[in-house]
Amino acid sequence: MRITEDHIKSIIFGVAVGDALGVPVEFSSRERLVEKPLTDMIGFGTYNLPKGTGSDVSPTTFLSRSNIYWRMWFDLKKLSNRFINWVDWGYWTPYGELFDIGNTTSKAIDNLRTIDNPENAGGSHEADNGNGSLMRILPLILKIGNLPIPHTYSIIKSVSSLTHRHERSVNACFYYLTLARYIILGHSKESAYQLTNTTVINEFKERQIIDKEFNEFKNILEGDLSNLPIVKSGKWLCNS
């Protein structure tokens, strides 16, 4: 698989646009958004900031830069230092100050300040799950795109574990990047979805993923993602 400059731009701009669209309505209920859908870039919502402002793009950019500059030698310590600078100094934030960070991510970055192995910084309990590592993980496809699936799983786990070490968060990142791999290879969305399910199920079996964790992904692995019902607000809690 050949990663091009267009892929890199698409990853960064796609995440940035999605983030900027979502910031003004963060913490809004699904019911409110169904009633009043977001159809354009707006501003001055949740954080009272101008339209186009992103909150979580910086960690994604850190990962992109790490992959581009250390393609053959990925340094988790340097990536950790960027996370710390993001919190302490507003590194690569829109206005030089961090204004939005999840509880789980915040605790993990505090751990990164003192821990020897960055892979042990993220929380490993079920209550530590959130979407923080999933939101930033897409640029990792630049490093793992041509690697065997078992090897990619190990790398994804190490990067997710900087902030989210529980198996569920790791598996969500693995599913997401497997889907991205097939899309970059030129498969349609439908074909990529089916291939991803087959690949992930096989890897779960190979790694003997426990039944409880397999069941957390059962709806998308054994069903049709396009026909899943809307989950009511409040069923899932997220600490990012």
Side-chain angles (χ1 to χ4, degrees), residues 135-172:
M135 288 189 293
R136 71 166 190 270
I137 204 74
L138 186 55
L140 194 58
I141 196 70
L142 304 177
K143 179 173 178 64
I144 68 173
N146 293 311
L147 298 176
I149 290 295
H151 194 179
T152 70
Y153 189 97
S154 299
I155 294 174
I156 292 166
K157 181 177 181 180
S158 69
V159 176
S160 175
S161 294
L162 293 178
T163 55
H164 294 72
R165 193 157 46 104
H166 190 273
E167 193 169 32
R168 194 170 308 154
S169 293
V170 173
N171 289 335

Side-chain angles (χ1 to χ4, degrees), residues 89-100:
W89 306 105
Y91 178 59
W92 273 58
T93 56
Y95 305 108
E97 183 178 357
L98 175 64
F99 66 87
D100 182 24

Side-chain angles (χ1 to χ4, degrees), residues 8-55:
I8 298 170
K9 289 179 179 178
S10 295
I11 288 169
I12 298 299
F13 289 133
V15 171
V17 170
D19 188 24
L21 280 167
V23 163
V25 295
E26 190 171 353
F27 307 123
S28 298
S29 68
R30 186 186 289 271
E31 289 78 14
R32 177 192 165 192
L33 292 173
V34 168
E35 182 180 335
K36 189 178 180 182
L38 187 65
T39 59
D40 199 359
M41 192 77 74
I42 63 173
F44 304 102
T46 303
Y47 296 99
N48 197 34
L49 292 168
K51 68 179 180 180
T53 301
S55 64

Side-chain angles (χ1 to χ4, degrees), residues 41-215:
M41 192 77 74
I42 63 173
F44 304 102
T46 303
Y47 296 99
N48 197 34
L49 292 168
K51 68 179 180 180
T53 301
S55 64
D56 298 302
V57 176
S58 296
T60 306
T61 307
F62 305 157
L63 191 50
S64 297
R65 295 180 71 194
S66 294
N67 275 292
I68 292 168
Y69 296 134
W70 294 288
R71 186 75 62 87
M72 301 302 294
W73 178 54
F74 192 79
D75 192 329
L76 290 177
K77 195 68 176 178
K78 289 183 178 179
L79 182 58
S80 301
N81 289 339
R82 287 193 168 103
F83 287 165
I84 294 169
N85 288 337
W86 173 55
V87 171
D88 290 353
W89 306 105
Y91 178 59
W92 273 58
T93 56
Y95 305 108
E97 183 178 357
L98 175 64
F99 66 87
D100 182 24
I101 185 172
N103 294 332
T104 301
T105 300
S106 179
K107 291 176 183 176
I109 292 175
D110 278 343
N111 290 336
L112 286 173
R113 301 174 191 279
T114 57
I115 203 163
D116 290 330
N117 183 357
E119 294 180 48
N120 293 329
S124 60
H125 299 292
E126 187 172 18
D128 295 321
N129 277 305
N131 61 7
S133 62
L134 186 67
M135 288 189 293
R136 71 166 190 270
I137 204 74
L138 186 55
L140 194 58
I141 196 70
L142 304 177
K143 179 173 178 64
I144 68 173
N146 293 311
L147 298 176
I149 290 295
H151 194 179
T152 70
Y153 189 97
S154 299
I155 294 174
I156 292 166
K157 181 177 181 180
S158 69
V159 176
S160 175
S161 294
L162 293 178
T163 55
H164 294 72
R165 193 157 46 104
H166 190 273
E167 193 169 32
R168 194 170 308 154
S169 293
V170 173
N171 289 335
C173 291
F174 174 63
Y175 187 100
Y176 182 39
L177 286 176
T178 302
L179 181 65
R181 176 201 289 254
Y182 286 123
I183 289 174
I184 290 175
L185 283 171
H187 292 275
S188 67
K189 290 184 292 184
E190 294 77 13
S191 174
Y193 174 53
Q194 296 303 324
L195 287 167
T196 297
N197 285 353
T198 300
T199 301
V200 170
I201 288 172
N202 289 339
E203 189 64 18
F204 277 13
K205 289 178 179 177
E206 184 69 24
R207 291 182 176 274
Q208 299 181 323
I209 301 296
I210 59 175
D211 291 342
K212 183 177 185 297
E213 290 308 314
F214 183 90
N215 285 335

